[in-house]
Amino acid sequence: MYTHPVIEIFGPTIQGEGALAGQKSHFIRFGGCDYRCTWCDSLYAVNPHTVKETAQRLTAVQIEQKVVELGGGDTPWVTLTGGNPCIHQLGDLVDLLLKGGHDINVETQGSLAPEWLERCQLVTVSPKPPSSGMQVDLDDLNRCLATASRAILKIPVFGVVDLQWAKLLHQDKRFKDYPLYLTVGTESGGSLLSISDQILHRYDWLVSQVLGDPTFGNVNILPQLHVLLWGHKRGV
Ligand code: SF4
């Protein structure tokens, strides 16, 4: 029986960012990622040693059962996240979740384009800006977005250089028609109060920068609601 490396399944909770911000959802987090972003807030799902030690190998049926046990039978949205869920062959799970009446949102950085993305209701593609230390391949990004039947771009912004990069991407003819969501980037660590202060301060800055720049056309600017509420706590 084919199994998938699952780090955690949790919910119901709210989706904290992007097109579904505020939406009640369950989350399935898979282990493994082809990136190593400097500010990654889910390294426990990225570091190969940690993933090997902690990931549970579960079949699609076991994963779907767990979601239902958590109350997911009454909550349609399920988010597949990581790590990068696109490094896995999740077609069997996607088909099972769809059969069970779920709506699927996938969170990925856009480096890969597995065929099963096409069957998901939404693909939230989050290319990583320069502050991540990663180099985005725009052809790969384009392929991932084109594979999805509905996709949005969600870019975390940690400062001026990231914002400039997001603007260039937004102006690129390959990407300009995708809805653009800018998210306030936050570093891990610190008390909830200091994290909230940092988020609101950066949100204020980001909003003023974007509103003052007419080249940003149709854009949505949001803080990470879950981080504002719970900091970087896991499983919420
Ligand atoms: S792509 Fe996402 S999960 Fe992977 S290292 Fe970067 S922030 Fe972490």
Side-chain angles (χ1 to χ4, degrees), residues 6-230:
V6 177
I7 298 293
E8 56 187 352
I9 301 174
F10 60 95
T13 185
I14 57 155
Q15 171 57 255
E17 51 193 331
L20 298 177
Q23 173 69 54
K24 192 174 164 187
S25 178
H26 284 75
F27 284 73
I28 306 168
R29 188 183 303 283
F30 297 92
C33 187
D34 45 333
Y35 272 28
R36 295 291 182 275
C37 302
T38 51
W39 33 248
C40 178
D41 61 1
S42 46
L43 275 174
Y44 56 93
V46 172
N47 182 298
H49 181 69
T50 316
V51 170
K52 194 165 174 231
E53 293 279 302
T54 60
Q56 265 190 292
R57 301 285 328 189
L58 300 176
T59 64
V61 170
Q62 289 171 319
I63 295 170
E64 204 257 352
Q65 268 171 0
K66 181 79 178 158
V67 170
V68 171
E69 278 165 26
L70 287 169
D74 302 321
T75 309
W77 279 100
V78 175
T79 300
L80 310 183
T81 189
N84 181 7
C86 291
I87 65 175
H88 302 295
Q89 297 305 319
L90 298 182
D92 60 345
L93 177 63
V94 165
D95 292 339
L96 198 61
L97 290 170
L98 292 174
K99 206 169 148 199
H102 297 285
D103 293 328
I104 303 172
N105 171 38
V106 182
E107 294 179 337
T108 178
Q109 77 270 39
S111 58
L112 299 165
E115 52 78 30
W116 52 263
L117 283 183
E118 190 190 358
R119 306 200 288 285
C120 299
Q121 276 76 12
L122 178 66
V123 181
T124 300
V125 183
S126 182
K128 304 308 181 197
S131 65
S132 69
M134 301 305 302
Q135 188 85 36
V136 174
D137 183 317
L138 296 183
D139 291 332
D140 288 345
L141 177 64
N142 193 29
R143 203 169 300 119
C144 177
L145 286 159
T147 302
S149 37
R150 179 188 167 209
I152 65 148
L153 279 168
K154 176 174 71 70
I155 303 178
V157 176
F158 284 77
V160 177
V161 176
D162 287 354
L163 187 58
Q164 189 62 24
W165 186 85
K167 186 161 121 176
L168 289 174
L169 197 80
H170 182 50
Q171 290 171 334
D172 188 309
K173 65 178 186 323
R174 290 172 290 179
F175 308 117
K176 68 179 176 46
D177 291 332
Y178 291 102
L180 176 66
Y181 289 76
L182 298 178
T183 301
V184 180
T186 53
E187 280 99 14
S188 304
S191 67
L192 183 55
L193 198 60
S194 68
I195 292 170
S196 303
D197 270 359
Q198 182 196 77
I199 292 173
L200 292 176
H201 182 72
R202 290 185 178 183
Y203 187 43
D204 182 41
W205 173 81
L206 186 56
V207 168
S208 65
Q209 291 290 310
V210 175
L211 295 187
D213 185 343
T215 55
F216 274 108
N218 192 10
V219 62
N220 192 307
I221 316 159
L222 281 173
Q224 292 175 300
L225 298 178
H226 57 298
V227 182
L228 205 49
L229 273 179
W230 299 304

